[in-house]
C-alpha cells in the first residue's frame, strides 16, 4: 500500500492511507542504508495485520525537500514564526530560518509575527520595510484570536511552523486546528525562553489537502554545511544583481563595482546586508 507518514514515535511510524492509519515499523534495510523515515514522507508499506492496523515500511519515495530541525519532508509552506515581544525577535536567527527554507527550495515562505498586540504601528512599519517586500508578513495574536484567518490564506499544502521556543507556535496551531489540542506552556519569566511543550513531530490535518507539521521549538540553527560563497544565492533581494558585478566571483564584501553593494539602502536593506556579511565571514572562517 502507499501512504504518508503523519507521526513517528519511538521507532514506530504512523502512516495515513485512505481512511486508516497504520502503525509501521521500519525494515532493517533503512537502518543499514542510514535512512530515517520522516514525517511527510510518502511511503510504500506492507500490511501485516489489517485488524490491528499494523504494517512494515518497504520504500520511501523520493523527497522534494527535507528539513533536519524540525525533521520533516515534502514541505510546501514554511511559516517562520517569531513573537513581536517576550521574547524579542532575534533577527540573526530569523534570517537563518529564512535561509534554511530557501536552501530547501520550499516554494511558499511566510513570516508570522505572533503576540502582535505587544508592539506598535511604528515597529511593524520598520519590520515591513526590511522584510515586507521579500516575504508575506502576517501579524497575528493567538491570545486575542486576531489575524488567524489571514494566516490560513497563506498556508498551502503541507506547512511547517519553524521558530524558536516561546513564540506561541502550539497556541497558533490550536487556533488553526482547534481539535488538535496541542499542549501549550507558559514562558519562563526568568529567562524568557519557552518550555519545550511539543513532544513529537506530527502531521495535523487542517482542511482539504492542507496539513500542518507541529514540531519542537529551538533557538539555534547551524549552517555549517553551507559554503560561504553560496550564501548570496539565498538572499532573494540579491537575485537580480548577481552576475552584474565587475568580477564574476564577486563575494559582495570588499570588491569594487559590486552591483549588490550599489543597491544597499534601496531595495537591499543595510540590516540584511550586514547579516549577510556576518554569515559569510562566519562560514569562511570554518572552512
Amino acid at each position: 500500500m502507499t501512504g504518508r507518514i503523519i507521526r513517528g514515535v519511538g521507532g514506530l511510524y504512523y502512516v495515513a492511507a485512505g481512511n486508516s492509519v497504520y502503525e509501521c515499523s521500519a525494515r532493517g534495510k533503512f537502518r543499514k542504508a542510514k535512512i530515517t523515515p520522516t514525517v511527510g514522507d510518502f511511503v510504500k508499506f506492507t500490511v501485516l495485520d489489517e485488524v490491528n492496523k499494523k504494517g512494515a515500511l518497504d520504500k520511501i519515495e523520493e523527497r522534494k525537500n527535507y528539513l533536519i530541525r524540525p525533521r520533516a519532508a515534502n514541505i510546501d509552506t514554511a511559516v517562520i514564526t517569531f513573537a513581536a515581544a517576550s521574547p524579542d525577535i532575534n533577527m540573526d536567527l530569523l534570517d537563518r530560518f529564512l535561509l534554511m527554507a530557501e536552501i530547501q527550495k520550499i516554494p511558499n515562505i511566510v513570516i508570522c509575527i505572533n503576540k502582535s498586540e505587544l508592539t506598535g504601528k511604528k515597529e511593524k512599519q520598520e519590520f515591513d520595510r526590511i522584510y515586507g517586500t521579500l516575504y508575506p508578513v502576517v501579524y497575528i495574536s493567538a491570545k486575542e484570536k486576531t489575524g488567524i484567518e489571514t494566516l490560513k490564506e497563506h498556508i498551502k499544502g503541507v506547512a511547517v511552523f519553524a521558530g524558536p521556543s516561546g513564540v506561541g507556535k502550539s497556541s497558533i496551531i490550536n487556533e488553526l486546528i482547534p481539535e488538535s489540542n496541542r499542549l501549550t506552556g507558559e514562558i519562563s519569566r526568568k529567562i524568557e525562553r519557552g518550555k519545550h511543550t511539543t513532544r513529537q513531530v506530527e502531521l495535523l490535518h487542517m482542511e482539504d489537502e492542507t496539513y500542518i507539521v507541529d514540531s519542537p521549538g529551538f533557538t539555534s540553527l547551524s549552517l555549517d554545511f553551507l559554503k560561504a560563497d553560496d550564501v548570496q544565492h539565498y538572499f532573494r533581494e540579491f537575485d537580480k544583481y548577481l552576475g552584474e558585478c565587475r568580477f564574476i566571483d564577486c563575494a559582495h564584501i570588499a570588491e569594487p563595482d559590486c552591483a549588490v553593494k550599489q543597491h544597499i539602502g534601496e531595495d537591499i536593506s543595510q540590516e540584511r546586508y550586514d547579516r549577510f556579511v556576518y554569515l559569510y565571514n562566519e562560514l569562511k572562517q570554518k572552512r
Side-chain angles (χ1 to χ4, degrees), residues 134-151:
L134 303 173
Y135 302 94
V137 178
V138 182
Y139 295 94
I140 73 165
S141 173
K143 179 181 178 181
E144 298 186 354
K145 305 183 188 304
T146 60
I148 301 300
E149 291 303 316
T150 301
L151 179 60

Side-chain angles (χ1 to χ4, degrees), residues 61-72:
E61 302 291 358
E62 184 178 355
R63 296 162 174 160
K64 66 181 179 183
N65 53 46
Y66 178 73
L67 297 179
I68 298 174
R69 293 184 65 184
R71 192 179 295 278

Side-chain angles (χ1 to χ4, degrees), residues 84-145:
S86 188
D88 293 337
I89 299 175
N90 180 328
M91 297 296 190
D92 175 70
L93 188 58
L94 170 60
D95 281 333
R96 290 170 188 260
F97 273 107
L98 292 170
L99 256 68
M100 187 63 75
E102 295 282 8
I103 290 166
Q104 291 298 328
K105 296 181 172 60
I106 296 176
N108 184 34
I109 303 173
V110 182
I111 299 175
C112 174
I113 305 299
N114 190 27
K115 306 182 186 180
S116 60
E117 76 277 6
L118 300 179
T119 192
K121 183 177 179 180
K122 182 178 179 181
E123 289 78 9
K124 292 176 182 176
Q125 288 176 338
E126 176 62 15
F127 188 86
D128 287 342
R129 178 185 67 81
I130 300 172
Y131 290 99
T133 59
L134 303 173
Y135 302 94
V137 178
V138 182
Y139 295 94
I140 73 165
S141 173
K143 179 181 178 181
E144 298 186 354
K145 305 183 188 304

Side-chain angles (χ1 to χ4, degrees), residues 210-260:
T210 306
Y211 298 83
I212 291 175
V213 178
D214 193 12
S215 60
F218 56 101
T219 55
S220 62
L221 193 63
S222 173
L223 294 169
D224 290 353
F225 65 91
L226 187 62
K227 293 180 181 179
D229 291 335
D230 290 338
V231 176
Q232 60 182 302
H233 298 294
Y234 305 113
F235 276 70
R236 55 174 59 180
E237 62 266 49
F238 291 7
D239 287 353
K240 58 185 175 183
Y241 304 118
L242 299 181
E244 294 187 4
C245 304
R246 181 201 293 186
F247 301 104
I248 296 176
D249 60 350
C250 184
H252 320 297
I253 305 294
E255 299 86 347
D257 298 328
C258 169
V260 169

